[in-house]
Amino acid sequence: MATYAVGDLQGCLRPLLTLLDTVGFGPDDRLWLVGDLINRGPESLQTLRFVRDLGDACVTVLGNHDLHLLAIACGAAQARRGDTLADILAARDRAELLEWLRFRPLLHHADGWTMVHAGLPPQWDLATARAAAAELEAVLRGPDSAAFFASMYGDGPALWSPTLRGAARLRYITNAFTRMRYVTPAGALTLREKGPPASEAPYLSPWFAHPARRSVGHRIVFGHWATLQLDAPVEPGFGVYPLDDGCVWGRQLSAIRLEDQTPFNVPAAAG
């Protein structure tokens, strides 16, 4: 049995099928998906159905595009230019798909590995991150999820504090798990910089390179950051594995086999 963690799909189902064939994915294997299953790519509806139908063979965490779909579906947000979500919203099985998506986790931890969509802020150790994920998951799965989605969008607060309450606290947790790339020396989120390391302002650092990061020592797979490349890995001492290789932008879909950290990839045009 092997476990394959795969980067952001964003509606690119055919490359995923080619990748699974390339690695020889079998009935005893497991698939971890780092979120952003849908949007911007050509087959968002088909991708969502395929992943849902994998059942227990697959674990996926929620990404920002997945949350955006849920917000649109409950009337808390409007579709944006470039969204490819109309097929899902008009689908005969829309309700079942959205309910399944709403119950996906924000963090998955098993066998010495942790999977999130964007990362873990420097102030969080793994226990704090798991508690924060459970807190937001309870809201997403509960009767007040529409109220949460109505207040989800926004860049603040930027800095974590255990004293945060209400919508501000949930928004910070959402941004940390699904939007973060760079942080300030104080560990505050800065959400507008999207380039590769060394392109950022000199006072910023990637979340995983912050000198006071409390999740050091844990192996973390994540996506969201298409300008990081698995085939040009970050410093091994950080223990992180970026998997978003920009499939939706025409590059490649990448995976790593967790048992031996072997990388795999297929071109975006595959399939």
mmCIF file of all heavy atoms in Angstrom, residues 35 40 43-44 51 71 90 122 131 155-156 159 170 182 198 203 209 234 245 258:
data_model
loop_
_atom_site.group_PDB
_atom_site.id
_atom_site.type_symbol
_atom_site.label_atom_id
_atom_site.label_comp_id
_atom_site.label_asym_id
_atom_site.label_seq_id
_atom_site.Cartn_x
_atom_site.Cartn_y
_atom_site.Cartn_z
ATOM 1 N N GLY A 35 -6.293 20.173 -1.630
ATOM 2 C CA GLY A 35 -7.338 21.180 -1.729
ATOM 3 C C GLY A 35 -7.320 21.915 -3.047
ATOM 4 O O GLY A 35 -6.471 21.695 -3.911
ATOM 5 N N ARG A 40 -11.272 27.353 -12.175
ATOM 6 C CA ARG A 40 -10.329 27.831 -13.179
ATOM 7 C C ARG A 40 -10.037 26.782 -14.262
ATOM 8 O O ARG A 40 -9.712 27.140 -15.368
ATOM 9 C CB ARG A 40 -9.005 28.308 -12.559
ATOM 10 C CG ARG A 40 -9.172 29.375 -11.483
ATOM 11 C CD ARG A 40 -9.579 30.713 -12.072
ATOM 12 N NE ARG A 40 -9.899 31.701 -11.059
ATOM 13 C CZ ARG A 40 -9.001 32.426 -10.407
ATOM 14 N NH1 ARG A 40 -7.710 32.252 -10.631
ATOM 15 N NH2 ARG A 40 -9.390 33.317 -9.518
ATOM 16 N N GLU A 43 -12.781 21.055 -15.983
ATOM 17 C CA GLU A 43 -13.654 19.952 -15.580
ATOM 18 C C GLU A 43 -13.918 19.973 -14.078
ATOM 19 O O GLU A 43 -13.736 18.971 -13.391
ATOM 20 C CB GLU A 43 -13.027 18.613 -15.985
ATOM 21 C CG GLU A 43 -12.861 18.438 -17.482
ATOM 22 C CD GLU A 43 -12.215 17.108 -17.842
ATOM 23 O OE1 GLU A 43 -11.048 16.889 -17.453
ATOM 24 O OE2 GLU A 43 -12.883 16.290 -18.490
ATOM 25 N N SER A 44 -14.401 21.095 -13.593
ATOM 26 C CA SER A 44 -14.625 21.212 -12.153
ATOM 27 C C SER A 44 -15.689 20.230 -11.662
ATOM 28 O O SER A 44 -15.499 19.556 -10.646
ATOM 29 C CB SER A 44 -15.020 22.650 -11.791
ATOM 30 O OG SER A 44 -13.909 23.521 -11.881
ATOM 31 N N VAL A 51 -13.566 12.699 -7.295
ATOM 32 C CA VAL A 51 -12.923 12.645 -5.983
ATOM 33 C C VAL A 51 -13.912 12.167 -4.937
ATOM 34 O O VAL A 51 -13.578 11.327 -4.086
ATOM 35 C CB VAL A 51 -12.338 14.025 -5.625
ATOM 36 C CG1 VAL A 51 -11.812 14.029 -4.199
ATOM 37 C CG2 VAL A 51 -11.227 14.400 -6.599
ATOM 38 N N ALA A 71 -19.337 29.385 -0.570
ATOM 39 C CA ALA A 71 -19.866 30.723 -0.293
ATOM 40 C C ALA A 71 -20.829 31.172 -1.390
ATOM 41 O O ALA A 71 -21.891 31.754 -1.104
ATOM 42 C CB ALA A 71 -18.722 31.711 -0.134
ATOM 43 N N ALA A 90 -25.214 24.226 -11.270
ATOM 44 C CA ALA A 90 -26.399 23.833 -12.032
ATOM 45 C C ALA A 90 -26.599 22.323 -12.071
ATOM 46 O O ALA A 90 -27.561 21.853 -12.686
ATOM 47 C CB ALA A 90 -26.299 24.373 -13.463
ATOM 48 N N PRO A 122 3.443 30.685 11.904
ATOM 49 C CA PRO A 122 4.558 30.401 12.816
ATOM 50 C C PRO A 122 4.140 30.169 14.266
ATOM 51 O O PRO A 122 4.777 29.397 14.976
ATOM 52 C CB PRO A 122 5.435 31.652 12.702
ATOM 53 C CG PRO A 122 5.100 32.244 11.381
ATOM 54 C CD PRO A 122 3.663 31.931 11.135
ATOM 55 N N ALA A 131 -6.508 22.015 16.651
ATOM 56 C CA ALA A 131 -7.637 22.590 17.384
ATOM 57 C C ALA A 131 -8.309 23.688 16.559
ATOM 58 O O ALA A 131 -9.545 23.789 16.517
ATOM 59 C CB ALA A 131 -7.163 23.142 18.722
ATOM 60 N N ASP A 155 -8.697 40.396 4.470
ATOM 61 C CA ASP A 155 -7.294 40.088 4.752
ATOM 62 C C ASP A 155 -6.935 40.197 6.231
ATOM 63 O O ASP A 155 -5.799 39.893 6.605
ATOM 64 C CB ASP A 155 -6.379 41.022 3.949
ATOM 65 C CG ASP A 155 -6.443 40.731 2.463
ATOM 66 O OD1 ASP A 155 -7.017 39.702 2.074
ATOM 67 O OD2 ASP A 155 -5.918 41.552 1.686
ATOM 68 N N GLY A 156 -7.831 40.659 7.062
ATOM 69 C CA GLY A 156 -7.504 40.813 8.479
ATOM 70 C C GLY A 156 -8.437 39.996 9.352
ATOM 71 O O GLY A 156 -9.499 39.549 8.900
ATOM 72 N N LEU A 159 -2.576 38.984 12.405
ATOM 73 C CA LEU A 159 -1.747 38.373 13.441
ATOM 74 C C LEU A 159 -2.592 37.512 14.356
ATOM 75 O O LEU A 159 -3.652 37.938 14.841
ATOM 76 C CB LEU A 159 -1.040 39.459 14.251
ATOM 77 C CG LEU A 159 0.075 39.005 15.205
ATOM 78 C CD1 LEU A 159 1.225 38.360 14.427
ATOM 79 C CD2 LEU A 159 0.581 40.200 16.013
ATOM 80 N N LEU A 170 -12.391 33.358 13.097
ATOM 81 C CA LEU A 170 -12.630 32.384 12.036
ATOM 82 C C LEU A 170 -11.995 32.824 10.723
ATOM 83 O O LEU A 170 -11.499 31.996 9.957
ATOM 84 C CB LEU A 170 -14.133 32.166 11.865
ATOM 85 C CG LEU A 170 -14.851 31.517 13.050
ATOM 86 C CD1 LEU A 170 -16.353 31.479 12.801
ATOM 87 C CD2 LEU A 170 -14.318 30.106 13.321
ATOM 88 N N TYR A 182 3.416 34.259 2.637
ATOM 89 C CA TYR A 182 4.485 34.968 3.334
ATOM 90 C C TYR A 182 4.003 35.511 4.678
ATOM 91 O O TYR A 182 2.800 35.765 4.869
ATOM 92 C CB TYR A 182 4.983 36.145 2.485
ATOM 93 C CG TYR A 182 5.753 35.737 1.254
ATOM 94 C CD1 TYR A 182 5.175 35.797 -0.004
ATOM 95 C CD2 TYR A 182 7.071 35.300 1.356
ATOM 96 C CE1 TYR A 182 5.880 35.439 -1.139
ATOM 97 C CE2 TYR A 182 7.786 34.938 0.225
ATOM 98 C CZ TYR A 182 7.189 35.012 -1.017
ATOM 99 O OH TYR A 182 7.900 34.649 -2.144
ATOM 100 N N ALA A 198 12.480 34.957 -2.707
ATOM 101 C CA ALA A 198 13.474 35.899 -3.228
ATOM 102 C C ALA A 198 12.838 36.995 -4.054
ATOM 103 O O ALA A 198 13.506 37.952 -4.442
ATOM 104 C CB ALA A 198 14.586 35.229 -4.011
ATOM 105 N N TYR A 203 11.842 42.092 4.119
ATOM 106 C CA TYR A 203 11.498 41.813 5.515
ATOM 107 C C TYR A 203 10.552 40.619 5.660
ATOM 108 O O TYR A 203 10.283 40.171 6.780
ATOM 109 C CB TYR A 203 10.867 43.052 6.176
ATOM 110 C CG TYR A 203 9.588 43.508 5.518
ATOM 111 C CD1 TYR A 203 8.353 43.028 5.944
ATOM 112 C CD2 TYR A 203 9.612 44.425 4.475
ATOM 113 C CE1 TYR A 203 7.175 43.437 5.344
ATOM 114 C CE2 TYR A 203 8.439 44.846 3.867
ATOM 115 C CZ TYR A 203 7.226 44.355 4.307
ATOM 116 O OH TYR A 203 6.063 44.750 3.706
ATOM 117 N N ALA A 209 9.727 29.234 6.507
ATOM 118 C CA ALA A 209 11.103 29.654 6.809
ATOM 119 C C ALA A 209 11.181 30.615 7.988
ATOM 120 O O ALA A 209 12.281 31.062 8.338
ATOM 121 C CB ALA A 209 11.736 30.305 5.578
ATOM 122 N N VAL A 234 12.396 23.184 -1.682
ATOM 123 C CA VAL A 234 12.882 24.121 -0.687
ATOM 124 C C VAL A 234 13.885 23.387 0.207
ATOM 125 O O VAL A 234 14.032 22.154 0.152
ATOM 126 C CB VAL A 234 11.717 24.672 0.151
ATOM 127 C CG1 VAL A 234 10.744 25.421 -0.733
ATOM 128 C CG2 VAL A 234 10.989 23.558 0.906
ATOM 129 N N ASP A 245 2.123 22.635 -8.657
ATOM 130 C CA ASP A 245 3.034 22.941 -9.762
ATOM 131 C C ASP A 245 2.316 23.591 -10.934
ATOM 132 O O ASP A 245 2.752 23.502 -12.083
ATOM 133 C CB ASP A 245 3.763 21.671 -10.217
ATOM 134 C CG ASP A 245 5.058 21.439 -9.448
ATOM 135 O OD1 ASP A 245 5.486 22.355 -8.729
ATOM 136 O OD2 ASP A 245 5.639 20.346 -9.561
ATOM 137 N N LEU A 258 4.476 9.321 -0.151
ATOM 138 C CA LEU A 258 4.903 9.682 1.194
ATOM 139 C C LEU A 258 5.888 8.686 1.791
ATOM 140 O O LEU A 258 6.785 9.084 2.552
ATOM 141 C CB LEU A 258 3.689 9.821 2.115
ATOM 142 C CG LEU A 258 2.654 10.887 1.719
ATOM 143 C CD1 LEU A 258 1.602 11.021 2.808
ATOM 144 C CD2 LEU A 258 3.316 12.227 1.429
#
